[in-house]
């Protein structure tokens, strides 16, 4: 499969984008490639217990792109983003940043995890200040910069609160501010909204899009939620499973700016249906995997 924007990608079932969206995708194609995965394979164990989690994964991410990586639970998405972050090493293949091999974590790549990773003994402000101070800034400068990021994520009134005093969505906004405070070029997000309720998740998606539009940052976003991938992304990398490989690289035909009214549009529904067929092939949907005995005899057939 090609690693360019459209090379080698079949778009069966996805409506052709409008001229406006085609122009936006063309502009994306012309931007520099900031991050590349080349033939990434990751194996665990050895001998008869050898498991291949990722099998020859290749793709590219352009500057200011919002790329989602989508796949079933257990397909290796989190392993892939940890390799991008330099937190794990591939068995073979390499990650390139601006064409240069990546060998470990670096300040140019910020990371937001699904689990709440704030320091519980520090306030919101001091959590955000932490990385800035580690980077060598004075306390006064770190405080000034931290307040800017806290204001950007809409938590100025809570700068002196502790994590246990915040909701789940607020904690993740602090995590985003802390990751962005080091001014990374690439923000890596591993299912950051997966633990949130539906309403809060929707709010966080809106917050993230606003932040992305305001800052020069490229986002790689892991999710297993099809609707989330369509709503947020420019392109969607779909991973198959057992072992994980690239199933498709889908250009999103939905116009920006995005709003919830678009979910009923043909373009939105076409890409959503295409992703559903990739993640859940018809052969897997033909029969419920578990036979459930009938446990009621009241005679009110619900089908």
């Amino acid at each position: 499969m090609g690693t360019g924007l459209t090379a080698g990608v079949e778009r069966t079932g996805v409506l052709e984008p409008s001229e406006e969206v085609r122009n936006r995708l063309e502009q994306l194609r012309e931007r520099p490639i900031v991050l590349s995965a080349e033939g990434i394979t990751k194996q665990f164990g050895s001998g008869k217990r050898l498991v291949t989690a990722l099998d020859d994964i290749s793709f590219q991410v352009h500057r200011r792109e919002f790329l989602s990586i989508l796949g079933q639970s257990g397909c290796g998405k989190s392993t892939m983003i940890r390799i991008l972050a330099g937190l794990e090493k591939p068995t073979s293949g390499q990650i390139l940043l601006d064409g240069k091999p990546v060998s470990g974590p670096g300040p140019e790549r910020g990371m937001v995890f699904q689990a709440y990773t704030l320091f519980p003994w520090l306030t919101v402000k001091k959590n955000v200040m932490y990385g800035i101070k580690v980077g060598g800034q004075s306390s006064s400068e770190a405080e000034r910069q931290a307040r800017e990021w806290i204001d950007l994520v809409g938590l100025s009134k809570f700068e002196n609160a502790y994590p246990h005093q915040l909701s789940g969505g607020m904690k993740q906004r602090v995590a985003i501010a802390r990751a962005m405070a080091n001014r990374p070029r690439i923000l890596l997000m591993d299912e950051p909204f997966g633990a949130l309720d539906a309403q809060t998740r929707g709010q966080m998606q809106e917050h993230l899009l606003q932040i992305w539009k305001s800052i020069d940052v490229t986002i790689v976003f892991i999710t297993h939620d099809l609707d989330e991938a369509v709503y947020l992304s420019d392109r969607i990398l779909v991973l198959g499973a057992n072992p994980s490989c690239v199933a498709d690289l889908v250009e999103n035909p939905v116009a920006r700016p995005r709003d919830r009214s678009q979910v009923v549009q043909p373009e939105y529904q076409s890409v959503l249906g295409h992703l559903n067929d990739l993640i859940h092939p018809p052969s897997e949907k033909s029969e419920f995997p578990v036979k459930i005995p009938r446990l009621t005899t009241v005679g009110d057939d619900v089908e």
Side-chain angles (χ1 to χ4, degrees):
M1 175 177 177
T3 57
L5 188 66
T6 57
V9 178
E10 294 183 3
R11 304 191 58 247
T12 305
V14 179
L15 292 179
E16 287 295 325
S18 66
E19 182 178 358
E20 177 185 354
V21 175
R22 284 199 304 271
N23 291 337
R24 176 173 57 79
L25 292 171
E26 179 63 30
Q27 292 173 1
L28 175 62
R29 183 185 295 111
E30 294 173 353
R31 295 176 194 161
I33 295 169
V34 294
L35 189 68
S36 299
E38 295 189 347
I40 297 297
T41 295
K42 180 66 175 180
Q43 296 176 323
F44 297 96
S46 61
K48 294 182 179 180
R49 295 185 176 180
L50 182 67
V51 175
T52 301
L54 300 171
D55 186 19
D56 194 24
I57 305 292
S58 296
F59 61 92
Q60 299 170 339
V61 189
H62 295 257
R63 178 174 174 265
R64 295 282 288 131
E65 179 177 7
F66 198 125
L67 175 77
S68 285
I69 301 179
L70 177 70
Q72 295 181 356
S73 295
C75 76
K77 302 185 301 296
S78 291
T79 299
M80 185 71 245
I81 204 163
R82 287 178 65 84
I83 291 173
L84 293 175
L87 299 174
E88 291 190 25
K89 294 184 180 298
T91 304
S92 62
Q94 62 179 346
I95 302 298
L96 302 177
L97 181 68
D98 294 325
K100 299 178 181 179
V102 168
S103 58
E108 72 285 338
R109 283 158 291 143
M111 183 81 172
V112 177
F113 300 88
Q114 179 176 350
Y116 305 133
T117 56
L118 302 179
F119 299 126
W121 59 89
L122 296 180
T123 64
V124 167
K125 181 175 65 179
K126 290 185 177 180
N127 261 285
V128 179
M129 287 174 60
Y130 181 84
I132 305 173
K133 292 181 68 175
V134 169
Q137 298 290 342
S138 66
S139 293
S140 59
E141 178 61 17
E143 183 172 1
R144 184 191 68 78
Q145 292 185 27
R147 282 198 165 116
E148 289 181 353
W149 290 106
I150 292 169
D151 181 61
L152 182 67
V153 298
L155 291 176
S156 295
K157 295 180 180 179
F158 298 89
E159 67 173 36
N160 293 315
Y162 287 87
H164 74 272
Q165 297 172 308
L166 306 177
S167 68
M170 293 165 73
K171 290 177 184 177
Q172 286 300 62
R173 277 192 271 168
V174 178
I176 293 170
R178 187 176 65 178
M180 291 302 303
N182 290 322
R183 299 189 179 275
R185 298 178 57 211
I186 301 167
L187 183 62
L188 305 170
M189 310 187 77
D190 186 8
E191 300 199 54
F193 310 145
L196 304 177
D197 64 84
Q199 181 177 359
T200 304
R201 174 181 285 199
Q203 293 171 345
M204 286 302 301
Q205 291 167 357
E206 299 295 342
H207 279 301
L208 181 59
L209 287 176
Q210 289 300 320
I211 292 169
W212 176 61
K213 287 190 291 186
S214 304
I215 300 169
D216 183 6
V217 68
T218 300
I219 297 179
V220 179
F221 188 96
I222 299 292
T223 183
H224 64 267
D225 187 301
L226 278 64
D227 184 78
E228 184 169 63
V230 177
Y231 190 71
L232 294 175
S233 314
D234 293 312
R235 293 188 300 157
I236 304 161
L237 180 75
V238 184
L239 297 183
N242 303 316
S244 183
C245 58
V246 176
D248 204 347
L249 182 58
V250 181
E251 295 178 2
N252 194 343
V254 181
R256 292 193 188 275
R258 307 262 167 86
D259 63 68
R260 298 297 173 184
S261 67
Q262 291 170 296
V263 299
V264 298
Q265 293 179 351
E267 293 85 0
Y268 197 104
Q269 290 298 312
S270 71
V271 70
L272 193 65
H274 181 60
L275 294 175
N276 187 62
D277 287 342
L278 289 169
I279 301 297
H280 306 290
S283 59
E284 295 183 5
K285 295 184 286 187
S286 60
E287 185 175 337
F288 196 80
V290 179
K291 294 293 185 180
I292 301 178
R294 186 176 181 88
L295 302 177
T296 179
T297 57
V298 296
D300 55 345
D301 197 338
V302 296
E303 294 186 355

